[in-house]
Amino acid sequence: MTTPAEYQQRRERLMAKIGGGTAIFRSAPMAVMHNDVEYSYRQDSDFFYLTGFNEPNAVAVLAPHQEEHKFVLFVQPKDPEKETWTGYRVGVDDAKTVYGAHEAYSIDELDEKLPQYLQKADRIYYRLGRDKKFNETVLNHWQKLMRVYPKHGTGPIAIQDAGTLLHPLRLVKSESELELMRKAAQISVEAHERAREFARPGQYEYQVQAELEYLFQQHGGTPAYPSIVASGKNACILHYIENDRRMEDGDLLLIDAGCSYGYYNADITRTFPINGKFSREQKTIYELVLTAQIAAIAQVKPGNPYKQFHETAVRVLVEGLMDLGLLQGDIEEIIKEEKYKPFYMHRTGHWLGLDVHDVGVYQWGEEPQLLQPGQVLTVEPGIYIAPDIKPVEGQPEVDARWRGIGVRIEDDVLVTPDGCEVLTAGVPKSVEAMER
Ligand code: GLY
Ligand code: MN
Ligand code: MN
């Protein structure tokens, strides 16, 4: 549980970086499913991180230079008639008493009230977002202030992406965030276990998806992203989400699914033989990916450059593919010129948190981003041998027996002071455990 005190602490940490500026955050818009039906509401992660406030049509302002109103919320006003149709609203009063705003207004008053929080700011911090109309609102207010700048000699002379200040904070998770991430991981672990026990030749992929997502929902979670349940050659399509194929005897099944719990996400992939026994080729590729994943996880420790675990995974995969005769030549050249890409075309991981592909910089120009305790990332190498795979020039044709095999293994890993902890270690991944 994230307490009001923690939200306040996050705002204070951000305000310490804002200095004489004013930061503006916009809630996520409602997303349309079709016609006038909308998806369940999902707050913008920056907005949620700073406020815990979970409604659309809201604006949060952080203005540390203000005497009293350093944190201001603009929210949808209470309206019993509208609430009957579209759901409960916190309202202006509780925005202060429950969410800790020093001042709160109806969102209808935004244009009138916002300028007073910008006039004395030396800079506006705002991340251009999905809400184009609101982007324009911010730019219009800025333009008006710039018009009177010569008269006063004060006002925001620049707009800077708020993410440049906020996202480094989001990158390192607090204890309460980790508690939610562990819970999301644990639910996802159980769901993967359930799905693997359930899956049999003759079923449809969506039936396995239903088993997984049943467990998410049973625990108060939702899918963190569209679940990928990819049998046979579908496993070679990275974001396969149709999940409508009948699974055949002899197929591998790749399941990439994770639960979102309290807005925090897990992201797990396992690949196993649906009939309980790997073929020789499937097993060979599986073992190679597993070896690469374990070697990559061993590189997740404080002080190591972010890219190191990816480079380790690539090297292990390339060595293995060379041993199998699927790649040939000079290993350094294969790696440097990325000749392995027909088999392995994505990065080995990403930050994980409130967003599945979480915010945070991976590399500072030539400077590496160094891992530090509290960061969470995925480690997810794979090999994908599409039926129509086209090796790069000079590389051998791929023998038919390998074609159609796709394997990925993905875990969520927390950087700890002395190494790392695999949050999703509860789903087994040894060859023996994948068979039955
Ligand atoms: N499930 C999306 C990913 O692994 O990045
Ligand atoms: Mn994934
Ligand atoms: Mn992932």
Side-chain angles (χ1 to χ4, degrees), residues 21 58 73 80 100 115 141 162 172 195 199 283 286 295 340 351 392 417-418 431:
L73 276 175
H141 279 289
V172 178
K283 189 170 175 176
Y286 186 86
Y340 56 83
W351 303 124
V392 301
D418 45 2
V431 168

Side-chain angles (χ1 to χ4, degrees), residues 267 350 357 378 380 410:
D267 182 4
H350 49 83
H357 292 180
T378 67
E380 50 178 308
E410 174 174 29

